[in-house]
Amino acid sequence: MKLHLIISLLLLASCQNQTPPLARNWQTILSRDEGIPSQRIPLYRAKVPNSWQRKDPLATESLVDTRLPICEFLIQGGEETIRITVHSFTYPDQNSRIPPSAQLHRWQRQFDKLDPAEVSISPISQGGFYGLKINAQGFINQKLIALKGWGMQLASDYYRLLSGEDSFINRQKKSDYTIKASGPAALMHQHGRDIDAFASSFELIEELPSPL
Amino acid sequence: MKWFKSIYSLLSSLSFALFLIAAAVLLVIAGTLLEARTDSHLLAAQWTYHHPIFSVLLGCFFINILCSALRRWPFKLHHIPFLMTHLGLLMILTGTIWKNHFGIQGHLYLLEGSGSSRLMLPHTLALHIEKRGIPNHLLYDQLPLTLGEPLKVQSQQFPELTIRVLRYTPHAKAYFESWMKGQYGWIAGLPPIPMQSWSKDQPLSIACQMHPYPQLNVRWDAAALLTDDIEQALQTAYENQTELIVTVKENPLVSQRFFLNEALQGTVPCLGGTLKTTCRLPCSLVDGLVNPHLELEWTCGQEREYVILPLAGTNALMPQLQSRLGPSKSRFDFDLKRPPLIVLINDSHQECHVAAFDPYGRLDIQTFSPHQWDSLIVYDQGFGGYAIPCHIPFPAYPSSRQDKMLAEQAQLAKQLEQVVDQHTTLAPPVQLFKETCDQAQLPFASLFVEFLALWSRQPHVLMHPSSSASPDLQTVLQKLAWDQIPSVKQGCQWINLLFGQLEDSLRTGSSIKNILKTHRWPLMTHLQTDEEDERHLLQQLAQQLLGLSSHLPPVPERTSLSSEQLFSAYLQAYGLDYHTLLPEQPAEKESFALLQAYHAGRSLDPSLLKSDAIHLETPLSYRHTAALPPKLEDQRPCLLIEVKKGSAKEMVSLTYDPLAAGLKWPVFGEYLLRLQPQWVELPYHVRLRQAKQLNYAESNQPYSYESDVWIQEMDQSPVEASLSMNHVYETWDGFRFYLAGMSSSREGIKQVQLVVNQDPVKYLLTYPGGSLVALGAILLFWLRPYRRK
């Protein structure tokens, strides 16, 4: 009996320890502005690993141009870097919104060579937003690059409720958002779970009004 | 005193205990049988656990245990295990009774992204009232209702309202009424349209006229029908007053007109031949209108043309020749003309269909279910009521086949101009044309598009001289410098000769592959002959000839080919024609963006341009019909309620909304009502971040459901928690949150149902009581009778 106990303890002790998860903390991300940079307000939050480098746009630079990201993160891996960009898109009305599939399609066209077997697209919903998530791997400038992307839109019920009052914050809350992470395939594979966790934690700071 | 002792003795006796146990067993058996028979746990519980008899039974158990313990007085040391077990049992019973009366158990419904602290108490009834407050927040009240009692309730929050329940129905079904209410069709802004009960072979009668575009004097007819034969009704409505106009492309002055219902009778003489017309409007309950079209078969001797004229979709009104030569190579244009019409059709399942026919023959149909809607208009957050919209994508500006073609050509010309501005390298034939235009100082893009459009409309593979060409185009074509590219010219000549022979055979139904094999084409092995689209084969042939042009002999001297023929052959070799250069259109729905841009460029009346669709609305109402009550859990009681405010009175009927997620109905334009479960406010606010289904690897089989939430006690920081099937979150004060269910909305947003319960005395009475019982039982068996004295 005692021998069994000792052997069990030894076996447990010899188990390989799991890699501890990266330390993460909640960070806020500002919204876009409508021409005046000082308009920007804390709109989103996400759990970001401490090791990621954050790059914010200049406080004096207007972010009306949706080609500019509202926030950027860099993951360094030796001489290689993964770039994670967050964009938001405001539209005058619900029918003008570009579907998430169009965003994903645009990202796929950025590859020089992309095997459809290396592309995986799945629906996803979180925080009142729904959309599509893409994992892809292909060649850009003859380098094997991996991509993780999320194209998200606010659900119609929430859009309707926020449209009841036309204010800057409501317009920003109604924005679609995208998260795109791309970098060398091996490095992306190494940090894939952290990137997924970051995107999964991404949400509006303020709660959405319940349609129920 | 004697009687007191007798009663005391009875209450503390073993026989009484056995009697109580037997009674409890019988009650449980009865409950089990009742549930098995009725399949209703709620009904069984009502007659057992929630019945007053069960509470009396629990009370009797309490008395029996207490009295049997007190009988041992005065207590000695060896009574301790006995007293421990009895005390423990008393604590458990007290905890149970306390929890039944003061505990909380309910459901919390959350949608991803939002939160709530409102706990719904299942199987209870309350009238939920809302009023808009100041500043723009909602004031609430709920009036718990117990059916069976005379009901006149007063709201404390809204004392100005008096509510009386006039009628109660144990179970009712709710049907939403949209476009048809009773015997009339309803379109907001119009008087009611009388509904016509319609059957096959009956004519369609127009009920009224309407102006579907605001501020435009454009009239449409309207009708309302009751019929189950939707497809036939659509066919009759469509054939009625629709004209088919057949025009010879090469001589637009030559045309013939038919009424569609006459043309559909059989074969009619048409422009030197005969025309057979078939109208196909397949309509399914699931998919709606699927590929509506006309089939037009023109025959003249050996010649035959079979054309499909789509009536909806991307290619609406554009005749598609079923020919190897290409979709637009028919020698005829087919156009439709009719008075525009909107028809509301109701069937016996209360499904409503809105069908629209535009002046050019397009067709659109949308179906509205009585049980749910795809889109809803909410006026003033519900205080103004609700409406169902119908968006008919027919613009007010001209959108005939010819307008579409002109819009396409304008867009193509614009794109070509952009390409030229960007100094992109052009294909050699295009470059040749451009250089000629530049030398002649004529606009390249518009003339090139004109050439392509004229070529596409000719019933020939390569272009023949056309009298429709503008003088500028003719000038450019004459000035093309073929002498500077003699080998190309030779190649183009041979292409023309070959294609001329091929075209004759293609018209009689032969395939290019067979023709080439029969004539032993020397370069067969270099052709991709497995393709169905023979236009691609023709392109390959042209490429081969152009590539070998310098090795080919000169063409026979009598050969005389126009510049149009040569240039079209040159383009053919590079795979360039009107259809390959056209901008890509959406796959299914017709897009009017090009048309709108085209008309905007022609300075059309702005009010016409703005009217790019018809937007109809109908007020949403509902109807309740009593139904046979199903099992208790599934019953939806319905109440007819009178609401009085001062001297004003309104009556509204409401069915029970068990999830409290449905619409709230307005009264007096100031209040919203809903019949739903009672709710209590929790001291915790729960926000649902994400709900997910976790599947087994490489499979859609779920192995777990999880929801990530924020749980916040009032004035404290929120705490992250993850609830799953086997993982419950418990707060310090005994509130337990369980994940009970998960569902998805149409958009994929998840909704979860959390079960929340709180036993206020769990740690004070129930668990300590259980521990005492366990300890007492152990001591009982340890000390006696196993210990030897």
Side-chain angles (χ1 to χ4, degrees):
Chain A
M1 175 68 181
K2 281 185 184 173
L3 183 62
H4 286 306
L5 188 60
I6 292 166
I7 291 170
S8 304
L9 285 170
L10 280 172
L11 283 170
L12 280 170
S14 70
C15 284
Q16 190 177 8
N17 287 333
Q18 282 189 341
T19 311
L22 286 180
R24 303 193 289 163
N25 64 79
W26 285 100
Q27 294 185 19
T28 57
I29 296 166
L30 300 185
S31 67
R32 288 194 185 277
D33 55 81
E34 290 177 350
I36 304 168
S38 57
Q39 267 180 315
R40 300 208 288 264
I41 51 170
L43 186 67
Y44 302 107
R45 65 181 168 203
K47 255 188 174 173
V48 182
N50 295 344
S51 59
W52 289 9
Q53 290 174 24
R54 177 172 172 154
K55 261 180 75 177
D56 281 313
L58 292 173
T60 51
E61 182 188 12
S62 172
L63 290 185
V64 170
D65 183 357
T66 54
R67 289 175 299 181
L68 299 172
I70 56 174
C71 191
E72 211 175 318
F73 295 93
L74 299 172
I75 305 173
Q76 299 290 351
E79 289 186 3
E80 294 176 327
T81 308
I82 294 173
R83 189 168 170 245
I84 302 168
T85 53
V86 183
H87 286 75
S88 66
F89 305 91
T90 316
Y91 298 96
D93 57 72
Q94 206 168 345
N95 293 332
S96 311
R97 297 194 293 182
I98 295 173
S101 54
Q103 302 278 14
L104 268 59
H105 190 55
R106 183 169 57 81
W107 292 335
Q108 288 178 75
R109 280 184 284 146
Q110 290 170 353
F111 286 91
D112 299 324
K113 198 174 159 187
L114 184 63
D115 182 357
E118 297 284 354
V119 178
S120 146
I121 295 176
S122 53
I124 187 171
S125 70
Q126 64 185 55
F129 290 80
Y130 71 98
L132 297 169
K133 175 185 168 182
I134 183 171
N135 280 300
Q137 186 169 291
F139 289 90
I140 298 176
N141 295 333
Q142 296 176 344
K143 282 187 189 166
L144 186 62
I145 300 293
L147 161 79
K148 279 182 176 289
W150 290 260
M152 306 294 282
Q153 276 188 334
L154 190 65
S156 305
D157 280 337
Y158 290 128
Y159 199 98
R160 173 179 60 80
L161 285 169
L162 291 175
S163 298
E165 185 190 329
D166 185 28
S167 63
F168 173 74
I169 184 168
N170 279 354
R171 287 194 294 275
Q172 295 303 312
K173 278 184 182 176
K174 289 189 292 183
S175 304
D176 297 354
Y177 73 83
T178 61
I179 299 171
K180 181 189 167 194
S182 66
L187 194 61
M188 281 286 290
H189 189 70
Q190 193 182 335
H191 292 275
R193 278 196 183 170
D194 294 323
I195 296 170
D196 285 341
F198 163 75
S200 186
S201 69
F202 192 91
E203 62 180 7
L204 286 167
I205 297 172
E206 270 187 38
E207 189 178 302
L208 289 162
S210 174
L212 298 178
Chain B
M1 204 58 190
K2 222 177 171 181
W3 60 266
F4 177 77
K5 277 188 179 173
S6 308
I7 292 171
Y8 181 73
S9 180
L10 174 68
L11 291 175
S12 58
S13 67
L14 182 62
S15 3
F16 186 48
L18 288 172
F19 167 76
L20 290 175
I21 291 169
V25 165
L26 285 172
L27 207 58
V28 167
I29 290 171
T32 307
L33 289 173
L34 192 59
E35 184 169 346
R37 212 181 151 130
T38 61
D39 194 30
S40 170
H41 173 77
L42 194 61
L43 183 68
Q46 261 185 10
W47 286 102
T48 53
Y49 312 112
H50 297 158
H51 201 275
I53 286 179
F54 196 78
S55 303
V56 167
L57 204 56
L58 284 180
C60 291
F61 268 114
F62 187 93
I63 291 167
N64 177 248
I65 293 168
L66 179 65
C67 292
S68 68
L70 289 176
R71 264 179 87 168
R72 298 297 191 273
W73 179 263
F75 300 128
K76 298 204 171 49
L77 208 61
H78 63 269
H79 288 148
I80 290 175
F82 173 84
L83 290 171
M84 280 174 75
T85 52
H86 280 66
L87 179 62
L89 286 169
L90 288 175
M91 288 170 72
I92 290 172
L93 280 170
T94 311
T96 304
I97 295 169
W98 193 279
K99 187 198 166 189
N100 282 348
H101 286 89
F102 302 107
I104 293 174
Q105 167 126 348
H107 299 137
L108 198 56
Y109 298 101
L110 301 171
L111 207 56
E112 276 181 335
S114 67
S116 176
S117 53
R118 196 173 281 186
L119 191 71
M120 295 291 166
L121 306 178
H123 313 301
T124 56
L125 210 61
L127 187 63
H128 177 85
I129 310 174
E130 284 180 16
K131 181 184 179 184
R132 201 188 355 241
I134 299 165
N136 208 33
H137 70 272
L138 289 171
L139 300 171
Y140 304 94
D141 196 8
Q142 66 164 341
L143 307 178
L145 302 174
T146 309
L147 296 170
E149 297 172 9
L151 285 174
K152 185 174 175 179
V153 289
Q154 195 74 41
S155 165
Q156 286 187 349
Q157 180 82 305
F158 313 117
E160 68 274 18
L161 293 180
T162 306
I163 292 157
R164 261 195 334 141
V165 177
L166 300 177
R167 198 189 311 151
Y168 155 72
T169 310
H171 180 68
K173 289 189 179 172
Y175 299 95
F176 290 103
E177 290 179 325
S178 54
W179 302 96
M180 299 289 219
K181 297 174 189 26
Q183 297 299 310
Y184 294 90
W186 290 82
I187 298 177
L190 287 186
I193 304 170
M195 188 159 58
Q196 170 194 354
S197 195
W198 184 88
S199 57
K200 196 178 168 182
D201 300 328
Q202 252 186 297
L204 185 80
S205 59
I206 302 301
C208 65
Q209 288 198 320
M210 58 184 285
H211 295 83
Y213 304 102
Q215 296 169 355
L216 287 179
N217 189 19
V218 174
R219 283 190 193 173
W220 282 49
D221 294 334
L225 305 179
L226 173 65
T227 180
D228 277 332
D229 197 348
I230 310 295
E231 212 169 298
Q232 193 58 50
L234 278 181
Q235 195 114 1
T236 304
Y238 192 77
E239 291 165 14
N240 189 29
Q241 295 189 294
T242 300
E243 268 188 279
L244 174 65
I245 307 161
V246 187
T247 313
V248 176
K249 277 186 188 174
E250 288 184 298
N251 189 357
L253 295 175
V254 178
S255 69
Q256 199 163 346
R257 301 167 89 105
F258 308 89
F259 275 108
L260 192 61
N261 49 10
E262 289 170 11
L264 290 169
Q265 297 299 324
T267 310
V268 294
C270 176
L271 298 173
T274 55
L275 180 71
K276 186 181 169 199
T277 310
T278 313
C279 180
R280 303 242 187 253
L281 304 179
C283 189
S284 88
L285 291 174
V286 174
D287 302 316
L289 210 56
V290 180
N291 191 23
H293 60 274
L294 293 181
E295 292 171 7
L296 303 147
E297 192 177 340
W298 181 85
T299 319
C300 178
Q302 292 292 323
E303 273 196 74
R304 182 180 165 273
E305 278 193 13
Y306 180 65
V307 171
I308 303 278
L309 184 61
L311 303 176
T314 307
N315 292 322
L317 312 184
M318 307 299 264
Q320 309 287 306
L321 178 71
Q322 304 304 291
S323 156
R324 295 190 171 101
L325 296 178
S328 62
K329 291 297 183 183
S330 166
R331 66 187 66 213
F332 302 111
D333 278 326
F334 297 92
D335 293 294
L336 296 163
K337 190 178 165 190
R338 59 157 297 125
L341 170 67
I342 287 177
V343 185
L344 309 177
I345 307 175
N346 213 34
D347 61 25
S348 56
H349 303 289
Q350 304 303 318
E351 292 224 332
C352 192
H353 313 267
V354 178
F357 311 92
D358 84 342
Y360 308 105
R362 281 188 189 83
L363 176 54
D364 180 74
I365 185 166
Q366 295 173 45
T367 301
F368 298 85
S369 164
H371 305 296
Q372 61 181 31
W373 51 81
D374 288 331
S375 182
L376 186 71
I377 299 175
V378 179
Y379 292 111
D380 195 18
Q381 298 180 56
F383 292 95
Y386 308 96
I388 299 289
C390 180
H391 171 89
I392 300 172
F394 295 156
Y397 45 78
S399 55
S400 67
R401 175 193 56 82
Q402 204 159 0
D403 295 308
K404 279 181 76 165
M405 279 174 46
L406 291 171
E408 281 174 357
Q409 288 165 27
Q411 174 69 7
L412 190 53
K414 201 170 158 188
Q415 286 186 330
L416 278 170
E417 280 166 11
Q418 285 172 353
V419 166
V420 167
D421 288 342
Q422 286 164 11
H423 305 289
T424 310
T425 308
L426 301 173
V430 184
Q431 185 64 32
L432 173 68
F433 195 91
K434 183 180 179 304
E435 283 168 1
T436 311
C437 288
D438 290 344
Q439 280 169 13
Q441 292 181 333
L442 291 169
F444 154 69
S446 57
L447 290 178
F448 186 66
V449 170
E450 182 191 342
F451 178 84
L452 291 176
L454 284 173
W455 177 24
S456 79
R457 287 173 56 72
Q458 285 192 349
H460 306 291
V461 177
L462 298 177
M463 183 155 177
H464 288 205
S466 171
S467 55
S468 310
S470 66
D472 284 347
L473 180 60
Q474 289 177 11
T475 304
V476 171
L477 288 169
Q478 280 164 15
K479 288 188 173 192
L480 286 173
W482 295 108
D483 296 330
Q484 292 181 11
I485 40 173
S487 65
V488 170
K489 181 179 176 183
Q490 184 159 278
C492 293
Q493 286 170 327
W494 278 109
I495 293 170
N496 269 276
L497 289 177
L498 175 65
F499 280 25
Q501 289 187 12
L502 286 174
E503 189 175 314
D504 293 334
S505 300
L506 282 172
R507 287 209 185 275
T508 57
S510 305
S511 80
I512 295 178
K513 267 187 288 186
N514 290 340
I515 299 166
L516 293 175
K517 274 184 188 166
T518 306
H519 291 87
R520 294 193 209 145
W521 180 251
L523 300 170
M524 276 301 286
T525 50
H526 297 282
L527 289 175
Q528 283 176 349
T529 54
D530 52 348
E531 284 200 32
E532 290 299 319
D533 187 354
E534 293 193 323
R535 286 179 294 166
H536 188 57
L537 266 179
L538 289 172
Q539 185 201 337
Q540 290 181 73
L541 278 174
Q543 278 175 346
Q544 284 183 341
L545 284 173
L546 196 66
L548 293 168
S549 57
S550 55
H551 302 287
L552 293 170
V555 294
E557 275 189 26
R558 66 177 186 283
T559 308
S560 169
L561 294 167
S562 66
S563 194
E564 289 97 327
Q565 288 169 294
L566 294 175
F567 188 59
S568 60
Y570 200 8
L571 287 171
Q572 180 78 15
Y574 281 86
L576 297 171
D577 63 19
Y578 183 73
H579 293 285
T580 55
L581 289 173
L582 264 184
E584 203 176 312
Q585 295 293 319
E588 287 173 14
K589 282 190 177 176
E590 190 177 4
S591 169
F592 293 95
L594 284 184
L595 260 173
Q596 201 169 27
Y598 168 68
H599 286 306
R602 290 172 60 221
S603 307
L604 196 71
D605 181 1
S607 57
L608 264 183
L609 266 181
K610 269 195 303 189
S611 306
D612 57 357
I614 297 173
H615 301 283
L616 301 178
E617 287 174 16
T618 186
L620 178 70
S621 61
Y622 55 86
R623 193 164 44 88
H624 294 134
T625 50
L628 267 176
K631 65 179 183 184
L632 211 55
E633 287 88 330
D634 298 336
Q635 283 183 17
R636 301 287 176 262
C638 176
L639 301 182
L640 179 64
I641 291 170
E642 179 195 83
V643 185
K644 247 175 135 176
K645 182 183 175 189
S647 58
K649 202 164 52 171
E650 269 194 40
M651 288 206 290
V652 60
S653 79
L654 301 169
T655 41
Y656 182 65
D657 181 353
L659 299 182
L663 296 177
K664 297 170 209 152
W665 295 96
V667 284
F668 302 122
E670 218 181 319
Y671 305 89
L672 293 174
L673 300 183
R674 186 166 62 197
L675 191 64
Q676 60 174 61
Q678 295 176 27
W679 53 267
V680 295
E681 199 74 33
L682 286 172
Y684 292 90
H685 185 86
V686 183
R687 174 180 169 181
L688 179 63
R689 297 183 51 233
Q690 185 182 23
K692 46 198 179 207
Q693 174 183 307
L694 302 176
N695 295 336
Y696 288 103
E698 309 295 332
S699 147
N700 287 333
Q701 189 109 7
Y703 79 82
S704 181
Y705 297 90
E706 276 183 17
S707 58
D708 298 331
V709 296
W710 290 106
I711 298 180
Q712 182 181 17
E713 195 178 356
M714 300 309 167
D715 301 328
Q716 305 285 323
S717 299
V719 170
E720 275 182 86
S722 185
L723 308 176
S724 63
M725 287 174 1
N726 296 318
H727 189 251
V728 174
Y729 180 82
E730 184 170 354
T731 63
W732 66 271
D733 50 353
F735 281 91
R736 291 166 68 91
F737 297 84
Y738 305 78
L739 178 62
M742 194 184 294
S743 58
S744 284
S745 70
R746 267 192 303 262
E747 287 167 327
I749 296 288
K750 306 274 192 328
Q751 179 177 341
V752 302
Q753 178 189 346
L754 302 185
V755 167
V756 183
N757 69 31
Q758 191 218 17
D759 183 349
V761 294
K762 181 168 64 176
Y763 296 112
L764 286 174
L765 290 176
T766 314
Y767 287 2
S771 306
L772 276 176
V773 168
L775 189 58
I778 290 168
L779 288 175
L780 267 174
F781 283 104
W782 186 262
L783 292 176
R784 300 173 57 187
Y786 299 108
R787 278 185 75 144
R788 291 174 188 280
K789 285 193 179 172

